[in-house]
């Protein structure tokens, strides 16, 4: 590994450890419930933080990739315990928020939730039941089709499918997942523009506008979901179109300026029902990450079976990570480009996830390069040993090949030496030699 690569790896490692320390502070132990009450620093506006399922599952999804941190297992167990405690308390009968359901499935799957647990089965059923006929999901049950909601649900179900290792012959609800994934892929593929991105609606606080623009994070989530879904679909008839859509999307992302991705705000609106018993729709404006999700997506594409060579791919990926690291302050908090502030829980989770995935990517590349060098060294040593053992055979082979290549020239030389003039010249030299020999005697 080059000196530059070692330096970026060390920076990422230190950042991960610092972020994990911050998460420990955000998750104080709650001895009553034997779990962790995650302080929701995003939604409470300075008030005493209450438990946030969304925040907890975002953190759970992030820290499961950070195995290098000594207390990652402890935090995973504590967070999963708290999430399950909430789910067992008829959680889905109260809330109707698709983004949250998707992250519950993502987080609990990543944490190794028991597939026989009722809360796990209820989460899957809730997502499956909310899918529309066209294959999409709304941001809440009955809501209009939403690209982000569909991408997150597709990603969560695909992750679940790979975790459980299931097919159509499995028991319900697992047997329904494959067909659900296919329908979601068909719908999501059609949401891309000809340029390769997904359009997002420009938001103005709690009001939707009629203007659209490209969505960096939205495109990244959608493409990431399609990449993971492709791992589950062996006989998908539309797989070629899925692959071409992903490749075009990745090419579009690679053309963007990393600094622009890091600094351009992407505010969007999420509509959901905070209370399922009421018809009241909550409009929540949230900021999109872009940089961190783009890193995760690019690495997922690089590891996919349909990766197509992109010039300077690793250099570009490293540049994105460097810009992401600039968003961290000395306290381990991460900058939110949309609100121009630090201390948000979701920015911490997303940054931690992106850095953990990138760190693992660097370790895998380092291990691959090391194995490649060892194999080349072994092959070179074997060749040298073989040449030393069979050097005469090798020389004979070389001479034979050279004779075959230059056979016409050799035949011409032989014909020349067999000519009468050369023969007569040889006889004369022989006579002279014999005469000189007798004279000396």
């Amino acid at each position: 590994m080059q000196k530059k690569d070692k330096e970026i790896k060390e920076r990422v490692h230190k950042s991960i450890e610092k972020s994990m320390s911050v998460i420990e502070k955000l998750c104080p132990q709650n001895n009553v419930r034997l779990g962790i009450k995650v302080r929701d620093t995003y939604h409470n506006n300075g008030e005493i933080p209450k438990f946030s399922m969304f925040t907890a599952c975002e953190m759970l999804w992030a820290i499961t990739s950070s195995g290098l941190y000594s207390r990652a297992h402890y935090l995973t167990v504590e967070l999963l315990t708290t999430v399950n405690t909430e789910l067992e308390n008829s959680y889905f009968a109260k809330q109707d928020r698709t983004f949250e359901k998707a992250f519950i499935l993502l987080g609990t799957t990543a944490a190794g939730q028991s597939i026989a647990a009722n809360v796990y089965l209820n989460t899957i059923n809730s997502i499956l039941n909310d899918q529309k006929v066209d294959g999409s999901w709304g941001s809440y049950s009955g809501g209009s089709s939403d690209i982000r909601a569909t991408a997150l649900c597709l990603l969560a179900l695909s992750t679940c499918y790979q975790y459980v290792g299931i097919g159509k012959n499995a028991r319900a609800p697992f047997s329904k997942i494959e067909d659900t994934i296919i329908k979601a892929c068909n719908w999501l593929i059609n949401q891309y523009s000809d340029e390769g991105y997904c359009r997002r609606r420009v938001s103005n606080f709690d009001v939707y506008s009629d203007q659209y623009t490209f969505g960096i994070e939205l495109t990244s989530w959608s493409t990431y979901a399609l990449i993971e879904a492709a791992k589950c679909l062996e006989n998908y008839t539309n797989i070629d179109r899925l692959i071409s859509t992903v490749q075009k999307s990745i090419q579009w992302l690679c053309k963007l300026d990393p600094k622009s991705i890091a600094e351009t705000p992407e505010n969007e609106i999420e509509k959901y029902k905070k209370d399922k018993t009421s018809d009241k729709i909550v409009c929540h404006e949230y900021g999109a990450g872009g940089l961190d999700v783009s890193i995760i997506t690019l690495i997922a594409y690089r590891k996919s079976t349909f990766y197509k060579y992109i010039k300077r791919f690793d250099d570009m990926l490293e540049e994105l990570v460097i810009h992401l690291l600039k968003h961290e302050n000395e306290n381990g908090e991460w900058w939110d480009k949309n609100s121009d502030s630090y201390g948000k829980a979701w920015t911490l989770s997303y940054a931690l996830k992106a850095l953990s995935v990138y760190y693992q990517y660097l370790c895998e590349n380092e291990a691959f390069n090391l194995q490649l060098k060892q194999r080349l060294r072994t092959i070179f040593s074997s060749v040298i040993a073989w040449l030393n053992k069979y050097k005469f055979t090798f020389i004979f082979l070389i001479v034979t090949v050279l004779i075959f290549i230059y056979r016409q020239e050799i035949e011409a030389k032989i014909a020349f030496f067999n000519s009468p003039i050369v023969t007569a010249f040889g006889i004369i030299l022989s006579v002279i030699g014999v005469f000189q020999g007798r004279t000396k005697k």
Side-chain angles (χ1 to χ4, degrees), residues 141-236:
S141 301
S144 57
S145 297
D146 185 271
I147 296 178
R148 182 186 300 273
T150 303
L152 290 177
C153 288
L154 175 59
L155 176 62
L157 290 174
S158 299
T159 305
C160 171
Y161 187 96
Q162 296 170 51
Y163 170 62
V164 179
I166 50 182
K168 292 184 178 181
N169 295 326
R171 67 184 178 91
F174 302 115
S175 58
K176 302 177 183 178
I177 292 181
E178 186 174 349
D179 288 339
T180 303
I181 288 175
I182 291 174
K183 289 172 62 178
C185 286
N186 290 337
W187 185 87
L188 196 57
I189 289 172
N190 291 326
Q191 308 313 308
Y192 283 80
S193 67
D194 294 337
E195 291 78 9
Y197 62 81
C198 294
R199 300 191 309 159
R200 69 176 180 87
R201 191 192 295 263
V202 178
S203 68
N204 182 15
F205 296 102
D206 60 347
V207 179
Y208 271 123
S209 72
D210 294 329
Q211 296 180 342
Y212 286 85
T213 184
F214 60 84
I216 300 174
E217 195 216 14
L218 189 61
T219 303
S220 298
W221 274 125
S222 301
T223 304
Y224 181 32
L226 290 175
I227 292 172
E228 292 301 313
K231 299 177 183 178
C232 312
L233 306 175
E234 295 182 0
N235 301 313
Y236 181 43

Side-chain angles (χ1 to χ4, degrees), residues 67-192:
L68 68 153
Y69 186 71
S70 59
R71 303 192 70 180
H73 176 69
Y74 154 74
L75 285 170
T76 299
V77 172
E78 294 294 336
L79 275 171
L80 183 59
T81 301
T82 301
V83 169
N84 284 339
T85 301
E86 290 291 327
L87 292 175
E88 289 168 358
N89 192 24
S90 303
Y91 188 80
F92 292 123
K94 306 171 186 176
Q95 297 276 353
D96 187 2
R97 191 179 186 187
T98 305
F99 292 4
E100 189 173 69
K101 291 178 184 178
F103 264 99
I104 290 173
L105 185 56
L106 272 174
T108 55
T109 299
Q113 177 77 285
S114 170
I115 63 174
N118 287 330
V119 290
Y120 194 65
L121 299 176
N122 291 340
T123 304
I124 296 172
N125 276 320
S126 182
I127 294 176
L128 293 176
N129 293 337
D130 286 346
Q131 188 182 37
K132 297 178 180 297
V133 177
D134 62 3
S136 67
W137 278 268
S139 56
Y140 63 94
S141 301
S144 57
S145 297
D146 185 271
I147 296 178
R148 182 186 300 273
T150 303
L152 290 177
C153 288
L154 175 59
L155 176 62
L157 290 174
S158 299
T159 305
C160 171
Y161 187 96
Q162 296 170 51
Y163 170 62
V164 179
I166 50 182
K168 292 184 178 181
N169 295 326
R171 67 184 178 91
F174 302 115
S175 58
K176 302 177 183 178
I177 292 181
E178 186 174 349
D179 288 339
T180 303
I181 288 175
I182 291 174
K183 289 172 62 178
C185 286
N186 290 337
W187 185 87
L188 196 57
I189 289 172
N190 291 326
Q191 308 313 308
Y192 283 80

Side-chain angles (χ1 to χ4, degrees), residues 219-389:
T219 303
S220 298
W221 274 125
S222 301
T223 304
Y224 181 32
L226 290 175
I227 292 172
E228 292 301 313
K231 299 177 183 178
C232 312
L233 306 175
E234 295 182 0
N235 301 313
Y236 181 43
T237 57
N238 214 13
I239 189 65
D240 291 337
R241 191 178 173 206
L242 184 151
I243 292 174
S244 63
T245 300
V246 168
Q247 291 175 338
K248 183 181 288 187
S249 173
I250 293 295
Q251 290 172 359
W252 178 79
L253 285 172
C254 290
K255 292 177 182 177
L256 299 177
D257 178 23
K259 185 177 180 181
S260 175
I261 298 176
E263 298 178 357
T264 303
E266 289 189 285
N267 291 315
E268 295 188 50
I269 291 179
E270 174 196 6
K271 291 184 178 181
Y272 66 97
K273 291 181 180 180
K274 197 169 186 179
D275 183 1
K276 206 168 185 178
T277 60
S278 172
D279 292 332
K280 183 180 179 181
I281 303 297
V282 177
C283 290
H284 167 60
E285 185 179 41
Y286 63 92
L291 193 61
D292 31 36
V293 186
S294 296
I295 292 170
I296 297 171
T297 303
L298 289 173
I299 293 176
Y301 175 65
R302 181 63 183 85
K303 293 181 176 182
S304 70
T305 56
F306 45 85
Y307 167 74
K308 191 175 182 180
Y309 174 75
I310 298 176
K311 188 177 181 180
R312 295 186 66 254
F313 182 87
D314 284 344
D315 293 338
M316 178 188 59
L317 193 58
E318 182 179 297
E319 190 174 354
L320 288 173
V321 172
I322 290 174
H323 277 285
L324 179 60
L325 289 171
K326 291 178 181 178
H327 288 181
E328 184 183 25
N329 64 17
E330 58 184 11
N331 298 322
E333 299 173 329
W334 293 85
W335 179 62
D336 174 21
K337 65 181 180 180
N338 304 286
S339 62
D340 191 22
S341 63
Y342 287 89
K344 307 290 188 188
W346 73 267
T347 54
L348 171 64
S349 299
Y350 283 28
L352 177 61
K353 182 70 174 182
L355 293 178
S356 299
V357 170
Y358 182 69
Y359 187 86
Q360 183 181 9
Y361 176 71
L362 290 179
C363 291
E364 289 174 355
N365 281 352
E366 185 179 0
F368 173 79
N369 292 332
L370 181 61
Q371 291 178 359
L372 181 61
K373 289 180 181 179
Q374 290 175 344
R375 290 179 180 178
L376 290 176
R377 192 180 295 114
T378 301
I379 293 173
F380 182 75
S381 300
S382 300
V383 170
I384 295 299
W386 185 85
L387 290 177
N388 185 54
K389 183 177 181 180

